[in-house]
Amino acid sequence: MSAAQIQLRTAREFPLEPQQEASHETAPYAQVIDEICNLNWSALSRDELIDVAWAYYFFSVQFCENVGIARRLYPDDKRLEELDRGERDTDNLSPCPGVVGAGERVDHDEFMRIALNLEAIDDMRRRRLLTIGAAYLGKVRAADDATRVLSLPTYEDGGLERVFRSILRARRWDGPLLQAFKHFLVGHIALDSNPVEGHGSLCRHLPPNAQVFDLWLAFKQSLVAAAPVLAR
C-alpha cells in the first residue's frame, strides 16, 4: 500500500478535527490557487473566454473521474456517496437553456460538453484546445488513485469557488455557450459555498497529500495554454 493510500485510509477511519482542516489554507497547493485567481481574467476577449471554457471542460472530466474513483475505493462512505449524487447524474444545474431541461439529470462534465457544442469554432482552434486538454488529462491520469481522491477537498472546500469567482471577472458573457458556462460557475458557487451543507463538507474528512500540488499546477498550466493573455 502506498503512502497516499495509507493516508486516505487513515482519513476515512479517523475524520479530521475542525482545527486541522484550516491547515488547507497554508498548504503548498494553495499558492497555485492564489496564482490562478490572480490571473488576468478581466483581459479575456470573448473568444479567449470560450477557450477557457474548453480548458475547464477537461478539468470537469477528470473531476467526475475522481468522484467515481472515490466511490469505487470507498463504496460505504456516505459523504462521498452524497457528493457523487451532486456531481454525476444530477439535476442540480437544471434547467439551462440549450443544455438541460427542467429536471433533466446529467453528469457535470456532460453539461460542459453540451455547452461547448452551442457555438462552433474553427478546426485549427478546436485541435489546439483538444491537444491542450489531452495533455492535461494525461498528467492527471498519471497520478495514483489515492492522490486523485485526496484532491477532492482542495477543489470542493473553497478552491474551485475561489477560481470560479475569479473567472467571473471576465467581461464578455454574451452568447449561449458563455451564458451556459456562467450558469455552471454560478451554480457551483452555490453548491460549494455553504461551509456546513456544501460539497466541501462531504469530502473534508480527506486530507490532501503533497501530490495534489501537481494536479493544481497542471490545471493552471492548461488554463494559461488555452488563453495565454491570462499570464500577461
Side-chain angles (χ1 to χ4, degrees):
M1 181 179 294
S2 71
Q5 289 171 319
I6 291 171
Q7 188 177 12
L8 181 55
R9 179 178 176 183
T10 301
R12 182 170 176 265
E13 295 175 352
F14 304 100
L16 292 176
E17 296 298 327
Q19 62 268 27
Q20 290 175 288
E21 293 161 9
S23 66
H24 292 191
E25 297 177 2
T26 57
Y29 68 81
Q31 179 181 345
V32 185
I33 299 175
D34 289 341
E35 292 171 358
I36 294 173
C37 292
N38 290 330
L39 293 173
N40 198 5
W41 296 104
S42 62
L44 291 173
S45 68
R46 184 176 182 279
D47 283 347
E48 288 163 340
L49 183 55
I50 288 174
D51 292 349
V52 166
W54 272 82
Y56 184 79
Y57 162 68
F58 293 100
F59 177 93
S60 71
V61 168
Q62 66 85 34
F63 183 89
C64 285
E65 290 176 354
N66 294 350
V67 174
I69 293 168
R71 294 289 294 124
R72 174 170 54 81
L73 292 179
Y74 296 94
D76 299 324
D77 190 311
K78 298 302 182 184
R79 284 174 285 187
L80 295 178
E81 181 180 354
E82 186 175 349
L83 177 64
D84 190 10
R85 287 198 297 268
E87 298 290 343
R88 303 192 300 172
D89 190 29
T90 178
D91 64 355
N92 58 15
L93 293 178
S94 303
C96 179
V99 182
V100 286
E104 185 176 351
R105 309 180 71 87
V106 68
D107 294 357
H108 283 175
D109 61 333
E110 179 67 4
F111 180 104
M112 284 300 304
R113 187 194 66 79
I114 297 170
L116 295 181
N117 285 330
L118 293 176
E119 186 166 329
I121 60 175
D122 66 70
D123 287 344
M124 182 177 296
R125 183 176 168 200
R126 183 184 183 90
R127 286 195 298 271
R128 182 180 74 86
L129 293 167
L130 289 173
T131 298
I132 292 169
Y136 167 69
L137 287 178
K139 292 176 182 177
V140 174
R141 288 167 177 166
D144 62 80
D145 284 352
T147 293
R148 296 185 66 178
V149 172
L150 293 173
S151 72
L152 288 172
T154 74
Y155 299 139
E156 294 292 83
D157 201 16
L160 283 181
E161 180 187 350
R162 290 187 59 209
V163 170
F164 293 163
R165 291 184 185 277
S166 298
I167 296 174
L168 288 169
R169 297 203 306 266
R171 302 175 187 273
R172 294 288 305 275
W173 294 94
D174 49 300
L177 189 163
L178 291 178
Q179 282 296 298
F181 186 35
K182 186 174 186 178
H183 177 94
F184 182 98
L185 298 177
V186 171
H188 272 77
I189 290 172
L191 291 171
D192 296 347
S193 59
N194 188 315
V196 177
E197 299 179 356
H199 284 185
S201 68
L202 302 175
C203 52
R204 197 174 293 145
H205 57 298
L206 305 174
N209 63 17
Q211 287 69 45
V212 302
F213 173 91
D214 298 325
L215 301 184
W216 273 102
L217 181 59
F219 180 36
K220 176 193 170 185
Q221 291 170 338
S222 72
L223 291 169
V224 173
V229 71
L230 287 171
R232 296 176 190 165

